Amino acid sequence: MTADIVAEYDVVLCVGDTTFLDYDSIVLKREGYGPIGKGGNGLILHSALAIEPKNGQSIGLLWQKLWNREPKQKPPKNETSVQKKKRQAAARKESRNRPFEEKESYRWVEALTTVEKRTSKDIKVVHAFDREGDITEVFIQIRQLKHTGVVVRAAHNRSLDSDSERLWSKLSAQPISFEQEIELPSTSKRSARKAKLAVRFCPVNLRTPYRFDDRDPILVYAVYATEVDCPEGETPVEWMLLTTEVVADIQMASTILRWYSYRWRVEEYHKILKSGCQVERYRLAAEGMKALIGFLSVIAVELLQLTYLHRTQPDSIAIEILNPLQLRILKAKSPKLPKILTVSWAVEAIARLGGYLEHRHKTPIGIQVLWRGWLKLNDLCEGWQLARET
């Protein structure tokens, strides 16, 4: 289990994100699915992925939550605009009055508490959340946990404890402490690039909202990074990061930035789950689909580890990503063997099993061909083990 592996570390990151799995084309099997996004139909998946804090290598899943929303009731026929406004206002009031544990946003707190219970008391687990995780309940919950921390990108210009000062104005008034370059991965909104960031940091006291009985201010540390010399046509990076970790010097502020940059690993993981494992192409009833997602989720983690090592450490020895049986089968299936069996060789050998045409040197190894090759490799391993038992 992943919890056993992370027990070897003093500190481990846990990056969280939510994605929609769309099964809108399933017409006859809608029970157990629900509305998502803009008119879609499907399931919602939240993943908590363990990350090695120094180099950003994925370790495995520490927690996942899969659920569906209940279909909305159709509005009454011949509803007037006044009646519609009253109905919507009543629905919003009912939503606000629901217990926090029944709301979807509870998943951010649930990740904190569940992972703490599953991991050793001897390690520190630091969660990294995007702006969706910037809710007061996250910081309140951290107070009650013994070996859990958080780095979250701020979504709200919060009021601070002193003189109603605001978060952004306080950090903007701080002097620039240092500059740091980071690698930004490509997304649907930007191309991959190296960004130079000007960084400020200081402790802040967040004012606790009135809905909480304990109104004591929440002490956190803010690390504010803004991009310098952003390329023309690109949106400059601006990260306001709030963390429960003590940021007393430049080294720790730099570490917080690096840790947050690893949050994209979980987005890459969801991309592999969708484009590589093609989780949205299956057409099953909801209960069967949920079981299949559990199986595919494990394979997606293995493919993420594979692709990241191939990108960052191609000359490492192959045994780092393969067990002895997998290595033995790949050697048997490979026409030529190099003197040293590297990660790069292993990935290319797996891709060949999936139909990769090696003579097309300009064609990159895609995630789908790796997915097919990985499945075939595991089938061959299973066949070999069954043959030994007979």
Side-chain angles (χ1 to χ4, degrees), residues 149-168:
V150 71
V151 176
V152 60
R153 184 176 174 189
H156 313 291
N157 192 14
R158 295 175 180 271
S159 175
L160 305 182
D161 188 47
S162 59
D163 303 323
S164 297
E165 189 176 13
R166 294 285 175 171
L167 177 63
W168 255 262

Side-chain angles (χ1 to χ4, degrees), residues 207-279:
R207 182 165 292 179
T208 307
Y210 288 100
R211 67 179 183 272
F212 293 94
D213 295 331
D214 183 0
R215 294 294 319 285
D216 289 340
I218 302 169
L219 172 62
V220 296
Y221 290 80
V223 179
Y224 184 41
T226 54
E227 187 170 5
V228 179
D229 301 327
C230 177
E232 187 176 351
E234 295 282 357
T235 302
V237 171
E238 182 186 2
W239 291 348
M240 179 70 76
L241 305 181
L242 302 177
T243 179
T244 54
E245 300 302 290
V246 176
V247 183
D249 53 34
I250 289 174
Q251 182 178 0
M252 191 60 192
S254 176
T255 297
I256 294 298
L257 284 176
R258 177 164 50 83
W259 283 356
Y260 181 75
S261 72
Y262 293 156
R263 199 201 63 80
W264 274 286
R265 298 285 185 273
V266 71
E267 293 188 8
E268 292 177 354
Y269 164 74
H270 286 153
K271 183 177 180 181
I272 288 172
L273 190 62
K274 291 180 178 182
S275 64
C277 302
Q278 302 181 43
V279 67

Side-chain angles (χ1 to χ4, degrees), residues 9 51-59 262 265 304-322 340-348:
Y9 297 88
I51 299 292
E52 186 275 319
K54 186 176 181 180
N55 298 311
Q57 172 63 294
S58 61
I59 300 171
Y262 293 156
R265 298 285 185 273
L304 177 63
Q305 294 169 338
L306 198 70
T307 54
Y308 182 77
L309 271 180
H310 185 234
R311 188 190 317 154
T312 60
Q313 302 175 52
D315 296 326
S316 298
I317 56 175
I319 198 64
E320 291 188 8
I321 58 171
L322 300 173
I340 300 175
L341 302 182
T342 64
V343 167
S344 179
W345 167 83
V347 170
E348 291 176 5

